[in-house]
Amino acid sequence: MRQKSPISIAWFSALASAAALSWFGLAGCQRDGAKGSEASPAPSGAASAAPAPDKKKARARGPDLHDDRFDAKIAENLPKVPDPKITGPDNPGAPLDNQVFRDRVLGFARKIVAIEKEGESVACDIPVTSSKQFRAVVWGYREGVQVARGESSDASLCVALKEATRRAVAAGGGTKDALGTTRLAIELPDHGMSILEHGDKGLELDHGLVPLRSFDKALLTKRIDEGQAYLLRVLDAEHKGAHKYYYAPADTFEPELHTIYTASTGFTLLKLHAMKKDKGLLDQTKKAAEFLLSMQSRDERDHTAGGFFYTLDLKRGKPERKLVVGTASKTVFTLLELHALTKETKYMDAARKAGDWLISMQLPTGAVRASLSQHEGGPWSVQAKESTLYTGQVLSALSRLHRATKDTKYLDAAATTAMFLAQKVEKNGCYVGDEYRKPNPISSSWLVLSLLDFAKSTGDKRIEDLVFRCSRDLLGRQWKRPEDAYRHGRWKGSLSSSGTGWLAEVMSEVFMFCRDKGKENCDGYKDAVVAAVRQIMQYTYGAENDFVVKNPKAAAGGVFWSVRERYVRTDSVCHAMNAYINILPFLADGALLELPEMPLSQRLAFDADADDKNAEAEDRAGGGEGEAEDEAPMSRAEDPNEEGVRKGPRRGPLNGKPEEGPRPRLPKGLRPPGPRGPRPPGPPPEMQQ
């Protein structure tokens, strides 16, 4: 529900013409003529000798907790920061709209930063007043680190901005150059607006994202090139295996290489090779494949031959004694593509061995055992809990093996698993979960893709009908809120960029299959992909939104996990790229999607908190994954976290414990709605600088 604050909407309407612009609240602005003489309430971020807020009460207040990290610096340096007099503008300039407003807010803050001497004056061309006071917060970022913060409140926006900026300058050192090399983020948290500095422009911020309100094929092609460069950087220079996590704020990788993410990276590089005919991409994939082959078990004595070890510990130089069916399945995908392209028998041999191992992991019901794991020198233990995600991956791998080899043993095994999944749909519907999690869109989309792979192998009309039935069910669970750039395009109950990317990839496969079959209404799947692609691209590091990372060049093209967690997980990039490449040939010229921005008058009067609460409730009703977002992570032995699952970096001896000390407080405009939940692990201590 949209609730209006007491700001005058009629006054904003008068701004439609420049001639109507007048100096509102000038008398109020003159209150700043002498330091400390303002009649407005004391700025909430001001330094003072008052006792620190009670911690117990502060915790109860939640996200609006007062940020006191810079109070000491502000108290020390504020007296030497010039306090300019605010004057009216020389001319009214362009009428205020969202972009003009953002540019002027940033321009005014930069004027305050540049003041050198006491007694100077600054013209303010954003004469906005409101009976609901403006709370302004000015942040400074340098190399991804918050280095300054100032906050103030006043009925005059100019006064609030001036005082908040002065305090930010004081927090940064108190000199003219204190914020000279920083990037500013300015928020009006009580009015639901946040602005990010980018050159001399003010960018819109929405829950920590720079919204992408329109895009075309040219931008999508650019994102493909950037994603390709990122994936090539993920491959380890020595081993050619892929890292799973890139901690962009710290500019570090975790000290292990993952078989499945190497396979996923190789699979995407092959799609890029097919698109661009670049032999270099094939060469890189073949090098990565050598890492894959080195990670395959060849031990016939313990019945692990054919499985692939989960990770390579770069410190010990040894693979982790764990074989996961999802790892083997996704590796089969890549090996089959490589064999089809190169005809080298080693790839097919490895794929067949993996397929045989997957069959050995099947249960009589058609479900599959998730993994085998072993402590050094001990017996192998089986994780037998049923995962729809893993079961689907195995069905896809066996179906693709049959198409490539025509060997009926793979088809027979696939048929058993396909029947298991079909029965699950008949019993519970298309929206499925498993013994790990409640019904959710990721598990449901793996069911769709695996049945699609089986349908391609058999031509079974009943399975085809099930694929389209369950795909339509997923279409109905996608966010369709053009007025909400933060959510529009993702799926309810799937909160990560990897989840959105995976669903986009699946929908692109369904779209192409629908076209090949000559079905009607195929464009619904394409439209879903286009909406998801826009969503993913605003989670992609680029010049506009790299203010929170240490090394922007290294992060470029990486798709960060979420607004709250800014690391890049390799599968987020792979899924996004696969969807981009699949859908690109079917897109028209011109703008593919446009989301209008709310008019300024409504924007400043919009109750964003109330809207977020309504949307959160709807999102939690959309899937179990969303409901579990703030729960503690599963143990690594239980969590089938291969693809599209929201869990962050694992705890354990390789990744170390979570960082110590207080968690940085984010501006309201730089964080998602809802509770924070537990803090996930960060980089190992030795990687934290």
Side-chain angles (χ1 to χ4, degrees), residues 449-522:
L449 184 67
S450 63
L451 291 177
L452 174 58
D453 274 322
F454 185 69
K456 290 178 179 178
S457 290
T458 63
D460 190 317
K461 181 68 165 53
R462 294 168 300 176
I463 297 297
E464 286 183 14
D465 291 344
L466 203 56
V467 167
F468 290 118
R469 170 186 160 190
C470 291
S471 296
R472 289 191 296 270
D473 181 89
L474 280 172
L475 289 184
R477 298 175 185 275
Q478 189 178 28
W479 276 104
K480 303 290 177 60
R481 290 184 57 164
E483 75 282 3
D484 184 348
Y486 173 64
R487 297 177 180 86
H488 182 74
R490 73 169 174 83
W491 269 261
K492 298 172 187 177
S494 177
L495 306 184
S496 71
S497 61
S498 176
T500 302
W502 171 246
L503 282 148
E505 181 179 346
V506 172
M507 289 296 103
S508 69
E509 294 286 347
V510 174
F511 167 69
M512 293 187 293
F513 184 68
C514 184
R515 280 178 53 94
D516 291 343
K517 288 292 179 179
K519 300 282 187 179
E520 297 180 353
N521 303 318
C522 297

Side-chain angles (χ1 to χ4, degrees), residues 536-584:
I536 300 164
M537 287 201 289
Q538 66 187 15
Y539 280 80
T540 303
Y541 281 124
E544 296 83 1
N545 63 1
D546 60 13
F547 65 105
V548 294
V549 305
K550 184 176 181 180
N551 185 348
K553 290 183 178 179
V559 180
F560 54 88
W561 185 251
S562 70
V563 173
R564 185 177 291 130
E565 311 305 341
R566 300 280 179 151
Y567 57 76
V568 180
R569 213 174 86 168
T570 301
D571 63 316
S572 296
V573 184
C574 293
H575 295 325
M577 293 284 285
N578 295 343
Y580 296 169
I581 295 166
N582 284 350
I583 207 67
L584 184 65

Side-chain angles (χ1 to χ4, degrees), residues 597-669:
E597 189 173 356
M598 186 184 297
L600 181 63
S601 59
Q602 295 180 33
R603 191 66 175 270
L604 289 175
F606 178 52
D607 190 338
D609 286 338
D611 188 68
D612 279 338
K613 289 178 181 178
N614 292 336
E616 285 178 66
E618 185 178 349
D619 188 60
R620 289 182 182 277
E625 187 186 14
E627 292 176 355
E629 180 68 15
D630 291 312
E631 295 175 0
M634 299 176 184
S635 71
R636 191 177 193 203
E638 293 182 336
D639 185 13
N641 58 357
E642 298 290 359
E643 299 290 332
V645 183
R646 57 176 171 73
K647 302 300 177 186
R650 65 180 174 90
R651 301 176 188 271
L654 292 182
N655 282 38
K657 297 179 180 179
E659 302 162 82
E660 300 297 331
R663 183 172 187 161
R665 302 178 182 106
L666 293 174
K668 185 175 181 180

Side-chain angles (χ1 to χ4, degrees), residues 432-444:
V432 298
D434 49 45
E435 293 179 352
Y436 289 95
R437 56 181 67 83
K438 298 176 182 178
N440 64 88
I442 304 302
S443 298
S444 303

Side-chain angles (χ1 to χ4, degrees), residues 333-355:
F333 291 12
T334 304
L335 293 174
L336 290 178
E337 293 295 323
L338 264 175
H339 177 261
L341 196 59
T342 66
K343 307 304 180 187
E344 294 186 42
T345 58
K346 61 182 178 180
Y347 302 131
M348 179 57 77
D349 290 344
R352 291 184 69 111
K353 288 178 182 177

